[in-house]
Amino acid sequence: MRDKVEQALAKVRPALQADGGDVELVNITEDGVVQVRLQGACKGCPMSQMTLKNGIERIVLKEVPEVQSVEAV
């Protein structure tokens, strides 16, 4: 599952990098929660939660159905 999640994150990474940010996969829990760390400009951005839920989580859930949610750590 980790490879599938990494591939999904690779799809959103260019958009994040265009704004000076990035995302790093930290962990996938046994119950399907993907834990990521926002980096660069995304780290302190007030819109980071919206980016996380409407961007990153939406793509990951679409690409990897066994994932339950995505959260920042």
Side-chain angles (χ1 to χ4, degrees):
M1 181 186 335
R2 188 173 185 90
D3 287 341
K4 288 182 182 179
V5 171
E6 285 283 10
Q7 290 173 7
L9 291 176
K11 291 184 177 187
V12 296
R13 194 166 273 129
L16 297 173
Q17 290 172 341
D19 288 331
D22 207 345
V23 62
E24 170 193 3
L25 177 60
V26 175
N27 188 35
I28 302 172
T29 67
E30 289 182 17
D31 55 343
V33 177
V34 173
Q35 298 173 329
V36 298
R37 181 175 296 120
L38 296 173
Q39 300 175 325
C42 292
K43 187 176 181 180
C45 176
M47 300 298 284
S48 64
Q49 277 302 319
M50 194 164 81
T51 299
L52 181 70
K53 292 298 178 183
N54 294 339
I56 299 170
E57 184 176 67
R58 185 176 54 84
I59 298 296
V60 171
L61 291 175
K62 179 181 172 193
E63 299 288 322
V64 191
E66 53 265 41
V67 168
Q68 299 303 309
S69 67
V70 177
E71 60 184 40
V73 293

